[in-house]
Amino acid sequence: MATTRLYLDWNATAPLHPAARDAMLRAMDIQGNPNSVHGEGRAARAAVETARRQVASLVGAAPAHVVFTSGATEAANTVLTPEFRMGRTPLVVSHLYISAVEHPAVREGGRFSKDEISEIPVTSAGSVDLVILETMLSAHDKASGLPMVAVMLANNETGIVQPVSEVARIVQAAGGIFVVDAVQALGRVTIDINAIGADFLIVSSHKIGGPKGAGALISRGEVLMPKPLIHGGGQEKGHRSGTENTLAIIGFGAAAEAALVEFDGRNAEIGTLRDRLEEGMQLAAPDVIIHGKDGARVPNTSFFTLPGLKSETGQIAFDLEGVAISAGSACSSGKVGESHVLVAMGCDPKLGALRISLGPTTTEVDIDRAIAAFVRIAGRRKLAGAAA
């Protein structure tokens, strides 16, 4: 009998939450366009607005400040632009400052040209260097336009939580705009857009058990907004044209509500499971390097290096053991390459790393199975070294 595969790649995508599945199945009977004024259209609109409230509640935002998109990448490309409006008044953002460990969707800089983008270094622990950030913003030419700073809340590879409230204080003192990629933190740490001090949050549905193809750009207010990326019929209050993906949005809302309900107890349990995993790996291979272990991390993520084992080899080895894990970000067309996150942290660029990420349905049995797979893989590495 074939062994059931073990899924430990929740940072790449979370399995569809039962609440999201049920909500989407019910929503398949909603026939109307949410922008139509007849009864069917009003039913669709009501469902979209319910989802908007559910997503807003997960980050402490006002529902009116949630703009639905096709995902986090579209949200990033929408907000990372030199063109903003403060009400009806145009504003120019002349430079984008991003941390050196950002996700590729942010690293590409959206609608900024390459010469309008600067990287903020991180410490060896993977945390944004606040002193250098303050220096960079002090040197910013305010006459040319506003500065924008984009820093992720939780890193998608290491799980390291950035000091975003401190970053917000520095950005506000410089009169800038602060964008936070909250994709990997959503549902895993407490998020309040006002407490953080972010002007904008980027979030994604499929990271919390919603369907793929939905995300949102969430603002702290309604006055300061970026120039729309997609023009057309003026949906989403003109911020994102195109008929709303009603089915995906409803699933996103249901997943957000479930994440809020399940947040308190389950995340502590997941952190305990992650620690159990890392202890097991260290016992089996004392030379294993767990990146970011001594810093603040989201509870579900372990990013590690087993010296002598290449990322792609390790990923395949775990796959053959029936365990799905990642070699880092899953958003680079399936390519396994050098981790820019580890490079930014001052690690050897040739160092391979693997990411195991847990979810709400992960159990102690799953962790023990992952440790057993790791033990076998580490053992084969030693045999290969001895044969060489």
Side-chain angles (χ1 to χ4, degrees), residues 181-256:
D181 171 359
V183 169
Q184 292 293 350
L186 195 67
R188 294 171 186 158
V189 299
T190 300
I191 302 175
D192 185 308
I193 189 171
N194 296 294
I196 288 173
D199 293 298
F200 296 93
L201 292 179
I202 296 167
V203 296
S204 178
S205 164
H206 74 101
K207 303 295 188 179
I208 61 168
K212 302 172 186 67
L217 177 64
I218 304 175
S219 58
R220 191 148 49 103
E222 286 187 276
V223 179
L224 177 69
M225 290 300 290
K227 178 182 179 180
L229 176 67
I230 299 177
H231 302 270
Q235 291 86 350
E236 294 297 290
K237 296 184 179 178
H239 300 305
R240 198 279 186 183
S241 292
T243 301
E244 292 89 345
N245 185 350
T246 307
L247 195 63
I249 288 171
I250 289 170
F252 186 10

Side-chain angles (χ1 to χ4, degrees), residues 110-169:
R111 291 180 273 178
F112 286 91
S113 63
K114 295 301 179 185
D115 61 352
E116 295 172 329
I117 305 171
S118 296
E119 275 195 357
I120 312 159
V122 297
T123 66
S124 59
S127 184
V128 170
D129 192 316
L130 298 174
V131 174
I132 293 180
L133 170 60
E134 200 156 15
T135 300
M136 293 173 79
L137 292 184
S138 295
H140 176 79
D141 179 13
K142 295 181 180 179
S144 64
L146 301 177
M148 174 184 284
V149 175
V151 172
M152 62 194 346
L153 181 47
N155 186 263
N156 53 304
E157 293 188 2
T158 62
I160 290 170
V161 176
Q162 296 291 344
V164 289
S165 295
E166 293 295 312
V167 174
R169 176 185 59 78

Side-chain angles (χ1 to χ4, degrees), residues 359-376:
T361 61
T362 305
T363 65
E364 287 188 3
V365 172
D366 295 336
I367 295 302
D368 290 343
R369 182 176 163 191
I371 292 171
F374 178 88
V375 169
R376 289 189 290 271

Side-chain angles (χ1 to χ4, degrees), residues 191-341:
I191 302 175
D192 185 308
I193 189 171
N194 296 294
I196 288 173
D199 293 298
F200 296 93
L201 292 179
I202 296 167
V203 296
S204 178
S205 164
H206 74 101
K207 303 295 188 179
I208 61 168
K212 302 172 186 67
L217 177 64
I218 304 175
S219 58
R220 191 148 49 103
E222 286 187 276
V223 179
L224 177 69
M225 290 300 290
K227 178 182 179 180
L229 176 67
I230 299 177
H231 302 270
Q235 291 86 350
E236 294 297 290
K237 296 184 179 178
H239 300 305
R240 198 279 186 183
S241 292
T243 301
E244 292 89 345
N245 185 350
T246 307
L247 195 63
I249 288 171
I250 289 170
F252 186 10
E257 184 173 77
L260 190 60
V261 170
E262 298 167 0
F263 179 84
D264 287 335
R266 194 62 188 121
N267 276 294
E269 294 172 16
I270 291 171
T272 300
L273 292 176
R274 194 269 311 278
D275 293 345
R276 178 189 180 111
L277 168 70
E278 293 181 345
E279 288 167 5
M281 292 194 299
Q282 289 176 313
L283 187 63
D287 60 339
V288 68
I289 303 166
I290 299 172
H291 303 287
K293 181 176 174 61
D294 296 328
R297 292 182 290 168
V298 286
N300 79 315
T301 303
S302 181
F303 194 48
F304 63 93
T305 291
L306 191 57
L309 185 69
K310 294 181 179 179
S311 299
E312 57 267 37
T313 304
Q315 191 174 12
I316 292 168
F318 271 97
D319 194 46
L320 292 174
E321 291 280 351
V323 183
I325 68 168
S326 171
S329 174
C331 300
S332 300
S333 301
K335 295 178 287 187
V336 177
E338 186 178 287
S339 168
H340 73 278
V341 175

